[in-house]
Amino acid sequence: MQFRLKLVASVAASLLASGAAFSAVSYTPGTYDGEAIGRNGPVKVQVTVGKDRITAIRVVSHNESAGLSDAPINNLPKRIIEKQSLAVDGYSGATFSSKAVIGAVQNALKKASTDISPLLVAPSVVAVKLPKNESVDVLVVGSGIAGMVAGITASEKGRNVLIIEKQSMLGAGDSMNISTGITAGGSRLIKELGIKNATAKDYADFLVKQAADKKVPINEKNVRTYAMRGGELVDWLMDMGVPFGRFQRDKWFHITQDGSAPGPHIVRALSKRIANDKIAYRLNSQVVNLIMKNGKVVGAKVKTDAGSYTVNAKAVVMATGGFSASHDLVAKWAPEWVGRPTTGAVSLTGDGITMAQKVGAQTVAMQEIKANYLCHPLTAKDGVSLTAITPYNILINHEGKRFVDEGHASINFKSRAMMKQTGHEAYAVVDQTAMDNLKIMRNYAAAGYFVKANTVEELASKLKVDQKAFVKTMKDYMAACKAGKDPEFNRKIQHPIAKAPFYASLVTPSMQSTYGGIKTDEKAQALGTNNRPIPGLYAAGATSGHEAYANEVGFAAIIGLVYGKIAGENAAAYAK
């Protein structure tokens, strides 16, 4: 669904209540600068106006995430000029960027006119034409990485594909939030770097051992299936321009060359492929029910602002993501995390899981969630994930002390430890090395999410901490870094804290991701309560989780990518 700025709504309401007439805006002709804060810092625009018309809008600079911000940055200026109004719909998957573009234009126009209130009232809306009922070979529900890969793959197999997305842009779910790396073995990059013992089988064996060590009840067949094909998917993404250039062996991470978040790069590459392959997709459209006939899934009902229609399909791939944004499902399956801010997408409401259950699908591992302790809160309900700094940071509470092994393998363990601290929060502290290596963190620092200081004493003075204890904790840890051993928590020191300046960001546990859902086999077929495949129904990514327990074993992104590929292949074969 699309959103409208609260400011627009409140101004419109007040004007309507007063009975004010809406008149054209008069401007002093010229070009004016405007600025507003986005998710990663200031968005700056230049707006040119004539006596009674906005004639040009140019986004001069911004630090918004590539891919995630493309739609609002490229399209909102055009919409504003077309409608001669600031009351335009933004992009729900890129809310902060949308608000920043509109807000920057508004601030520029305030310099050009003494009264811009008419611009805040929505112009008359042209009725949207309802799409007709139609038939396709493969219907993909959801356009995250799993859904886009499934759609591209089925299309490559010669099938007629339609992708349905309930948000206003492709890839607007958690896919955009992939901030660290893509895990896999046996990729071309690994071979080019000359890294030994990192084949696909090595990665599969690593995951299975990790599960055994942690006593996590994975579906080994499903886990080995995705692990054996991960390198193939990384190669495929690199061929499409995703700039992986480094490999972190202990995490099996394929990292972008400049340390930028890979999610936006992946979404942009897949979106470009969809456009080049002319694969049909519809935005702002929500699948609300699956259609069954003779025990088979044969299509779906779709709801839009203009009404509902039917898509008949020989096969349906569910790729709607998890349920981290569903209060009811979180309360049922992860009650300890109810009420936490989220770094996940607002669209993750468990739609695909619920719809599949209605046609007899079995669910599994619904309690598997990821609570992200490295959430920098922006509002009571929203935050940004700082997960990329995991190997660089230490955590210090308001009492100035460390309280957990920051390198502990379980993110939920660290989140629960933080929930016991004053205010359920702490400071994540890094040095300049993290900023040098991670472009995304440089953007976040520019946006004001970090406090910066040249010395640990100066940093302590800027934070709400016991300053004496904080300085001692920092100096003790820096001495431990020099010695190469952390006596307090026996942490493996991967990136010593030593290089000034130093940075601290307030963090608190968030509800980020869920990894349970529709039970599937290694072919991504949805399984019924009788453990048999439901004909015509497939699931990929967090909608299923594939019993891979990504929260504790491996990472979710590669699971979504590979099972998107597998779902697309098998749905295409079934629809032949």
Side-chain angles (χ1 to χ4, degrees):
M1 297 294 292
Q2 296 176 322
F3 72 90
R4 208 174 284 282
L5 290 176
K6 290 182 179 179
L7 177 61
V8 171
S10 62
V11 171
S14 63
L15 288 173
L16 286 169
S18 66
F22 302 141
S23 60
V25 176
S26 296
Y27 303 106
T28 301
T31 297
Y32 300 87
D33 295 329
E35 181 178 322
I37 299 299
R39 193 176 191 88
N40 297 350
V43 174
K44 298 181 180 180
V45 302
Q46 283 188 341
V47 181
T48 302
V49 297
K51 289 182 63 177
D52 58 2
R53 187 170 182 81
I54 304 168
T55 60
I57 300 172
R58 184 169 71 92
V59 178
V60 177
S61 65
H62 70 90
N63 289 316
E64 301 301 273
S65 300
L68 181 60
S69 66
D70 289 355
I73 294 293
N74 295 332
N75 297 332
L76 285 180
K78 298 173 187 176
R79 289 186 186 178
I80 292 170
I81 293 171
E82 178 185 345
K83 294 188 176 184
Q84 292 295 303
S85 172
L86 290 168
V88 295
D89 289 324
Y91 291 82
S92 57
T95 305
F96 282 91
S97 298
S98 297
K99 288 182 177 181
V101 172
I102 297 170
V105 173
Q106 179 174 324
N107 289 334
L109 291 174
K110 285 179 179 178
K111 301 175 184 178
S113 175
T114 57
D115 180 17
I116 65 167
S117 59
L119 298 177
L120 305 177
V121 180
S124 58
V125 178
V126 178
V128 178
K129 187 176 180 181
L130 177 66
K132 296 179 180 179
N133 296 344
E134 65 176 283
S135 298
V136 298
D137 293 327
V138 178
L139 172 64
V140 179
V141 187
S143 72
I145 53 174
M148 285 196 284
V149 171
I152 292 167
T153 302
S155 178
E156 287 176 343
K157 298 294 183 181
R159 303 296 169 259
N160 179 22
V161 174
L162 174 63
I163 301 173
I164 297 288
E165 169 58 53
K166 72 178 182 180
Q167 297 207 92
S168 54
M169 58 193 291
L170 290 173
D174 258 359
S175 299
M176 285 287 192
N177 298 325
I178 302 169
S179 60
T180 47
I182 301 297
T183 55
S187 70
R188 184 173 67 238
L189 177 63
I190 290 173
K191 296 172 185 174
E192 291 173 351
L193 294 174
I195 297 170
K196 306 296 183 183
N197 302 318
T199 66
K201 186 178 183 303
D202 290 327
Y203 183 53
D205 291 343
F206 165 79
L207 293 174
V208 172
K209 183 179 184 303
Q210 188 178 49
D213 290 345
K214 292 185 175 184
K215 296 181 173 56
V216 175
I218 60 169
N219 182 320
E220 184 172 340
K221 182 179 286 188
N222 285 2
V223 169
R224 285 192 179 277
T225 295
Y226 91 74
M228 292 304 294
R229 297 190 63 179
E232 165 196 335
L233 264 292
V234 171
D235 292 348
W236 188 63
L237 291 173
M238 291 185 69
D239 289 340
M240 284 191 284
V242 178
F244 293 122
R246 293 185 284 160
F247 182 69
Q248 186 179 330
R249 179 66 176 84
D250 63 324
K251 294 282 190 181
W252 296 86
F253 275 160
H254 292 75
I255 304 170
T256 58
Q257 189 62 54
D258 64 358
S260 57
H265 290 292
I266 295 170
V267 170
R268 185 161 52 183
L270 295 175
S271 298
K272 184 178 179 180
R273 182 64 173 271
I274 286 171
N276 290 343
D277 290 355
K278 296 181 171 56
I279 298 171
Y281 64 89
R282 290 183 184 157
L283 305 176
N284 302 308
S285 303
Q286 184 174 4
V287 172
V288 291
N289 279 307
L290 293 171
I291 300 172
M292 293 283 286
K293 186 176 181 180
N294 298 325
K296 301 177 181 180
V297 172
V298 294
K301 289 287 186 182
V302 184
K303 183 178 72 173
T304 73
D305 288 343
S308 299
Y309 65 96
T310 298
V311 177
N312 299 306
K314 297 176 183 177
V316 175
V317 177
M318 274 294 179
T320 56
F323 59 89
S324 59
S326 168
H327 180 276
D328 291 344
L329 289 176
V330 171
K332 180 177 181 179
W333 294 106
E336 67 180 308
W337 303 113
V338 170
R340 302 305 303 158
T342 180
T343 51
V346 296
S347 61
L348 303 179
T349 51
D351 305 351
I353 299 170
T354 303
M355 284 186 281
Q357 282 183 296
K358 289 179 180 178
V359 297
Q362 183 181 170
T363 58
V364 67
M366 291 290 284
Q367 75 285 354
E368 282 303 304
I369 61 94
K370 177 181 179 181
N372 179 7
Y373 66 99
L374 286 172
C375 164
H376 176 71
L378 299 178
T379 68
K381 295 183 177 181
D382 186 79
V384 296
S385 174
L386 307 184
T387 305
I389 65 172
T390 298
Y392 298 88
N393 86 104
I394 60 169
L395 298 168
I396 301 180
N397 60 22
H398 288 291
E399 288 70 39
K401 298 179 180 179
R402 293 171 68 200
F403 53 90
V404 71
D405 171 11
E406 298 88 352
H408 193 283
S410 172
I411 192 170
N412 284 347
F413 177 86
K414 290 178 280 192
S415 291
R416 290 190 178 100
M418 189 175 290
M419 287 295 288
K420 297 176 182 177
Q421 307 308 306
T422 302
H424 310 308
E425 61 193 20
Y427 289 99
V429 183
V430 299
D431 70 352
Q432 185 60 37
T433 303
M435 296 296 166
D436 291 342
N437 291 349
L438 301 170
K439 181 181 179 181
I440 187 174
M441 292 305 145
R442 296 196 294 273
N443 289 342
Y444 286 164
Y449 301 160
F450 285 89
V451 175
K452 178 181 177 181
N454 290 320
T455 65
V456 295
E457 290 84 359
E458 182 188 357
L459 187 61
S461 70
K462 295 181 176 182
L463 305 177
K464 294 180 180 179
V465 294
D466 180 314
Q467 294 184 32
K468 184 177 180 180
F470 180 91
V471 171
K472 182 179 187 304
T473 296
M474 285 293 296
K475 290 190 173 180
D476 285 349
Y477 184 74
M478 292 168 73
C481 289
K482 287 183 179 179
K485 185 177 181 180
D486 176 12
E488 189 167 3
F489 289 104
N490 198 31
R491 177 190 183 183
K492 178 182 178 181
I493 299 174
Q494 185 176 341
H495 295 286
I497 292 180
K499 184 179 180 181
F502 304 98
Y503 301 79
S505 179
L506 186 70
V507 292
T508 190
S510 71
M511 183 65 203
Q512 178 162 314
S513 307
T514 60
Y515 299 119
I518 303 166
K519 186 175 178 65
T520 55
D521 61 14
E522 73 277 11
K523 295 181 179 180
Q525 297 177 112
L527 302 181
T529 52
N530 59 2
N531 277 326
R532 295 177 181 173
I534 297 174
L537 184 59
Y538 300 82
T543 308
S544 168
H546 307 283
E547 295 176 87
Y549 290 79
N551 179 48
E552 296 292 344
V553 180
F555 292 86
I558 193 63
I559 299 170
L561 288 163
V562 173
Y563 273 106
K565 189 82 168 175
I566 291 171
E569 291 169 348
N570 289 299
Y574 178 85
K576 187 174 181 180

